[in-house]
Amino acid sequence: MTKRLMMSGEMLLGGVDLSRAAPRRVGVLVAHEGQVLEAEGLDQPLGTQVRIAAGPVGARGEVVGFRGRRSLIQCFDLDAPFAAGGRVTPLGQGGLAACGHGLLGRVIDAHGAPLDGRPPIVSRYSWPLVGKRANPLTRGRVTQSFDVGVRAINALLTMGEGQRVALIAGSGVGKSVLMGQMLAGVDCDVVVVGLVGERSREVSDFVETKLDDRLRARSVVVAVPADHPPLLRIRAAMRATAIAEFFRQQGKRVFLLIDSLTRVAHAQREIGLSLGEPPTMKGYPPSALGLIPRLVERAGNDRASGGSITAVYTVLADGGDTDDPVVDATRAIVDGHVILSRSLAEQGVYPAIDVARSLSRTMADVIDDDHALAAARFRQLWSSYEENRDLVLMGAYAPGHDPLVDAAMARREEMLAFVRQPRAARVDLAAARAALVQGFAA
């Protein structure tokens, strides 16, 4: 009988290769403080995905640090019913983002799972979430203009293909409206949008109102609302950037929009402080500000494939403070910035672009001389008005003393009309240049 059972077992296991089988190390949950879980017996590298026994389903997390022999874990579900002694099972590295044309027209979360109620996305391509480190000399120069369909940006802050731009604004000054105008007017092959840390209502509103059928067919949206754990918010921005990098590798002209970079920095601040990092300016630990260049530097042109990522990162100026650490760190690494003015928004000027304080560092490389002279003249008049407005309103300036000030005061309404653009209107690059040169040529 025993011999018969042994023969039966050999037949069942005959096709199983056990030569590479080895014990799997399983950790034990020993502490839970704030957003950090601590596990013992889990000797796994940073970035390892784990499953934590919690309730009937369990919860997933990621190893983010160490404290002695204990592994520090950030969980993707902070509301799970954790208990001391729970099993922590490693799932392997989770640092790849599924990519491919099957993503076009889809809305996904930080894990790549669909949010649009459609079938799961099947793709045989992948790209590292943290990107691939590249030789700086493989990045091409910005030499071609990039049309975004907004007259003020096309004419006065002309963007180049492969440029990285920060859209800086306080709350309620028309940032979302300008984003919608840029998406509706952009000239590119693929659009990748990362909605990070926004309200859930804004996510559905964005998908339904900002993406028409034509644009949705060539777009990918990665969305993680504000009530999700900080690790997921960071992974959303990384996944969106990884997807953009994949399409760039295919030679596509990609437009990447991350809204907002401030929420990504806030998420890293939560993680850094929970891991014991020392806070610096306004409570930001070094890792929060260090994450910004690591994310932004992944966009740009690629000489080998001929593809490009032109990126816009929205930055929320807390309390209207444009010297906020996140604003300052972002402005220092991007190739240009567009600042929205609350005073212009209160006057009903949309988009409320503060021309004098905004800048495109690549504009000189993508426009002709006539365009450059007209743009310089417009900025000169705009700045002269801003500098002398208070004197004129107080009656301390008498017309006729300075021709530049006189021209600035006389043409103020004309300049505001040039910047103002209805929400549904689209003004291409050629039309914007022609209007500027015709109206403001020196």
Side-chain angles (χ1 to χ4, degrees):
M1 182 68 178
T2 304
K3 186 176 180 180
R4 186 177 300 175
L5 289 174
M6 291 177 63
M7 292 177 62
S8 177
E10 289 177 358
M11 292 177 62
L12 289 173
L13 300 176
V16 179
D17 181 13
L18 300 177
S19 60
R20 298 184 179 180
R24 182 171 60 171
R25 186 177 293 276
V26 177
V28 177
L29 190 64
V30 296
H32 179 200
E33 182 178 354
Q35 300 179 0
V36 178
L37 307 175
E38 298 185 18
E40 286 184 345
L42 189 72
D43 297 338
Q44 297 292 329
L46 291 174
T48 300
Q49 303 284 298
V50 298
R51 179 173 296 281
I52 308 157
V57 179
R60 291 177 60 189
E62 181 177 314
V63 178
V64 296
F66 306 102
R67 183 174 293 138
R69 298 293 298 177
R70 294 183 176 186
S71 296
L72 305 181
I73 300 169
Q74 280 271 334
C75 190
F76 298 144
D77 183 8
L78 298 177
D79 297 326
F82 301 112
R87 289 166 56 92
V88 183
T89 307
L91 302 176
Q93 292 289 324
L96 294 177
C99 298
H101 290 81
L103 287 172
L104 296 177
R106 304 301 301 270
V107 183
I108 60 177
D109 64 11
H111 296 300
L115 294 174
D116 49 16
R118 296 165 59 189
I121 299 167
V122 179
S123 176
R124 57 192 180 94
Y125 302 105
S126 62
W127 195 269
L129 284 175
V130 297
K132 297 180 180 180
R133 190 175 297 277
N135 186 329
L137 296 182
T138 63
R139 290 295 171 86
R141 295 180 58 241
V142 177
T143 57
Q144 299 292 327
S145 57
F146 189 80
D147 189 356
V148 295
V150 179
R151 179 171 49 232
I153 295 179
N154 281 342
L156 303 170
L157 305 165
T158 312
M159 291 176 57
E161 187 175 317
Q163 184 177 357
R164 293 82 51 86
V165 176
L167 177 57
I168 303 170
S171 57
V173 294
K175 180 169 68 339
S176 298
V177 174
L178 180 56
M179 286 163 44
Q181 288 181 307
M182 295 176 72
L183 286 173
V186 70
D187 179 18
C188 65
D189 300 322
V190 177
V191 174
V192 181
V193 181
L195 301 177
V196 183
E198 299 298 327
R199 294 181 288 271
S200 298
R201 177 192 62 79
E202 290 184 334
V203 174
S204 59
D205 179 77
F206 182 92
V207 173
E208 294 176 9
T209 64
K210 303 296 191 300
L211 301 178
D212 56 24
D213 294 338
R214 177 187 61 83
L215 180 59
R216 188 174 302 179
R218 56 189 175 98
S219 66
V220 183
V221 178
V222 183
V224 174
D227 60 342
H228 284 52
L231 193 58
L232 290 182
R233 284 177 260 153
I234 294 175
R235 290 174 70 90
M238 289 186 171
R239 183 172 291 272
T241 306
I243 293 170
E245 287 177 310
F246 168 80
F247 283 111
R248 178 180 63 186
Q249 191 71 13
Q250 306 300 310
K252 304 294 185 181
R253 299 168 63 241
V254 183
F255 180 61
L256 173 64
L257 175 61
I258 300 293
D259 180 30
S260 71
L261 196 60
T262 303
R263 305 301 187 197
V264 178
H266 286 179
Q268 184 60 45
R269 177 172 63 181
E270 291 182 46
I271 294 175
L273 293 178
S274 65
L275 294 177
E277 278 192 75
T280 55
M281 294 182 295
K282 288 197 173 181
Y284 288 100
S287 63
L289 300 181
L291 179 62
I292 295 173
R294 284 165 44 204
L295 199 61
V296 172
E297 278 295 291
R298 293 168 61 181
N301 294 325
D302 182 59
R303 292 183 188 272
S305 66
S308 64
I309 300 176
T310 306
V312 172
Y313 303 91
T314 67
V315 183
L316 181 63
D318 291 330
D321 181 13
T322 55
D323 293 324
D324 179 84
V326 175
V327 175
D328 203 40
T330 305
R331 191 164 44 196
I333 195 66
V334 294
D335 305 313
H337 54 272
V338 178
I339 296 180
L340 302 187
S341 166
R342 186 172 300 278
S343 64
L344 288 176
E346 291 171 348
Q347 298 173 42
V349 178
Y350 291 100
I353 297 175
D354 190 332
V355 175
R357 300 172 64 196
S358 303
L359 177 69
S360 172
R361 294 189 176 104
T362 64
M363 181 174 176
D365 298 325
V366 298
I367 63 174
D368 56 66
D369 293 341
D370 290 340
H371 187 171
L373 290 173
R377 176 61 175 174
F378 189 104
R379 295 176 68 91
Q380 183 185 39
L381 292 172
W382 187 285
S383 298
S384 179
Y385 176 87
E386 295 294 335
E387 292 172 1
N388 296 279
R389 176 180 55 186
D390 292 340
L391 291 175
V392 174
L393 293 177
M394 290 187 301
Y397 174 79
H401 284 75
D402 189 333
L404 179 60
V405 177
D406 294 341
M409 297 299 167
R411 306 194 67 179
R412 178 62 174 178
E413 290 302 320
E414 184 181 351
M415 290 188 288
L416 291 178
F418 187 89
V419 172
R420 189 183 286 114
Q421 181 174 326
R423 178 179 300 191
R426 182 186 186 278
V427 182
D428 62 29
L429 184 60
R433 176 201 175 278
L436 179 69
V437 171
Q438 181 178 359
F440 294 91

